[in-house]
Amino acid sequence: MGRLFGTDGVRGIANSELTPELAFKLGKAGAHVLSKDVKRPVVLIGKDTRLSGDMLEDALSAGILAVGGNVIKVGVLPTPAIAYLVKAYRADAGVVISASHNPFEYNGIKFFNGEGFKLDDDIENEIEDIILRDIDVNSHITGDRLGRCLEADDDAMDKYADFLKSTIQTDISGVKLVLDCANGAAYKVAQKVYEDLGADITVIGNKPDGTNINDSCGSTHPEKLQEEVIRQGAFLGLAYDGDADRLIAVDEKGRIIDGDKLICICARMMKDKGQLPGDLVTATVMSNLGFHKYIESLGLKTQVTSVGDRYVLESMLKTGGMIGGEQSGHIIFLNHTTTGDGILSSLQLLQAVLLTGRKPSELSDEIEIFPQVLKNARVKNENKNKYMEDEDIKGAIAKIEEDLKGTGRVLIRPSGTEPLVRVMLEGQDVEHITKLAEDLAVLLTKRFG
């Protein structure tokens, strides 16, 4: 068995790679590590709408109960709801059973600590070490030392919804919106939040059957949302992914507003409100050049991190940043919560647009997104990082940078999971940057393949 934890918890095909046996072990080891100083830890568990969620929830719960922990099951709720509720319930840890934007046959298990933050690498490594070394952390305790399932409040969803509504101060009553809930974890709570706030909403992707999560819907497949926005004459369309920690929007013309543009629009509002300490916005190396130019035009600075929301959050905690995220629509508003939250992001976006008195398309069009071309160079695993020291490669990159002269950029990064080096170019001429990217990828393959 290789490394269990990826960039966002443990994931795999349910009952094949992510088995009930593994879930049981994760429950035992996770409860043990996260609650060392607590005699009887309390762990909150939520899930999305996948068919395999029940199986994994019961196995995970059994593992927690076996080490003397108590379990509170709050049912189907978004990932960020668990990050919020773990504090509201004063639990010692939270667990989400979800594979986010992946197809239904996949599932995942990710942990939050008692403060609602995803786990640090060293804690994940400790949990993983217990499982891989097959250490029995409970020594088969018996009697009244075993844990039990506690009754969750009936209003767990209401608590989370009330929190979400508290993050917006602008009246949205009567605003015509279309929500796409991806047949996932947001299918009840997103509708409740917007109905309570008085918006005129149409909801699609809100009929989960256990197998249709993310199926031609949600933030990774916004085509139906685009059509519905045009059909309804809506002001804005809002698409979440399966566990509702991401947002992709659609303007009134049916055009997509991606994560880079969402951050720009919301950062502008936060600057005007004096909510950006140090005039700082956090983004990853994959954020578009147009994003950087727009942020600079606002008089703001960008802190750049590696790809992955955990690295965005890590940087924000160090620098005091209040907004950060990725093109995928995973956006963290640290002045409100501890992780990406699609519904919260949609409320902030709607507020940001309404405060300007302009149309979503007008704000979106102010941000010029440069075309991006991505090519993969197949290399040997042991050579994935050697390009940085190769004179021919450095020379080729320098020539590309000189060619683009501030109207584009080149980014090279090794794949974390495959024997590939990814070559990404941005620029205004798609044909030209495609040829440059292809030539550089070929050179990398020749040198290190």
Side-chain angles (χ1 to χ4, degrees), residues 227-355:
E227 293 172 3
E228 195 64 29
V229 166
I230 296 298
R231 185 181 296 115
Q232 296 286 341
F235 181 71
L236 199 60
L238 304 164
Y240 312 114
D241 64 336
D243 70 335
D245 64 355
R246 299 186 189 192
L247 168 73
I248 292 295
V250 172
D251 69 20
E252 80 284 358
K253 295 181 178 181
R255 301 178 306 176
I256 291 172
I257 308 176
D258 72 2
D260 278 350
K261 286 192 172 187
L262 296 174
I263 296 169
C264 287
I265 293 169
C266 291
R268 175 177 172 171
M269 171 188 71
M270 294 175 73
K271 179 180 186 292
D272 292 343
K273 287 186 167 191
Q275 295 175 341
L276 288 182
D279 289 334
L280 194 63
V281 177
T282 307
T284 77
V285 293
M286 292 300 289
S287 292
N288 196 274
L289 180 61
F291 166 90
H292 291 279
K293 289 183 176 292
Y294 184 81
I295 291 298
E296 187 178 338
S297 75
L298 296 177
L300 303 174
K301 297 172 289 189
T302 304
Q303 180 73 27
V304 179
T305 77
S306 299
V307 175
D309 64 280
R310 66 186 304 151
Y311 302 113
V312 172
L313 176 61
E314 185 179 285
S315 175
M316 293 172 71
L317 292 172
K318 285 180 181 176
T319 63
M322 286 294 125
I323 184 172
E326 303 181 274
Q327 281 178 324
S328 63
H330 197 288
I331 305 170
I332 301 171
F333 291 86
L334 204 52
N335 55 330
H336 291 300
T337 190
T338 56
T339 190
D341 189 321
I343 303 174
L344 189 152
S345 296
S346 67
L347 290 167
Q348 300 310 304
L349 171 68
L350 182 57
Q351 180 170 245
V353 175
L354 291 173
L355 286 173

Side-chain angles (χ1 to χ4, degrees), residues 93-167:
V95 186
V96 178
I97 301 169
S98 172
S100 188
H101 57 283
N102 289 325
F104 90 95
E105 60 265 28
Y106 289 83
N107 217 325
I109 293 174
K110 52 188 166 186
F111 291 85
F112 290 93
N113 64 24
E115 296 301 313
F117 290 101
K118 291 179 181 177
L119 301 189
D120 295 333
D121 285 345
D122 57 343
I123 298 176
E124 286 187 350
N125 289 338
E126 189 175 353
I127 294 171
E128 188 166 285
D129 184 60
I130 289 170
I131 295 172
L132 296 182
R133 291 171 57 198
D134 200 23
I135 299 171
D136 190 354
V137 294
N138 74 325
S139 298
H140 298 285
I141 61 173
T142 59
D144 62 2
R145 294 171 63 197
L146 292 170
R148 65 175 61 197
C149 285
L150 306 176
E151 291 296 321
D153 291 349
D154 290 336
D155 62 350
M157 184 177 76
D158 292 339
K159 285 182 178 178
Y160 175 56
D162 288 345
F163 156 69
L164 290 172
K165 289 182 288 185
S166 75
T167 69

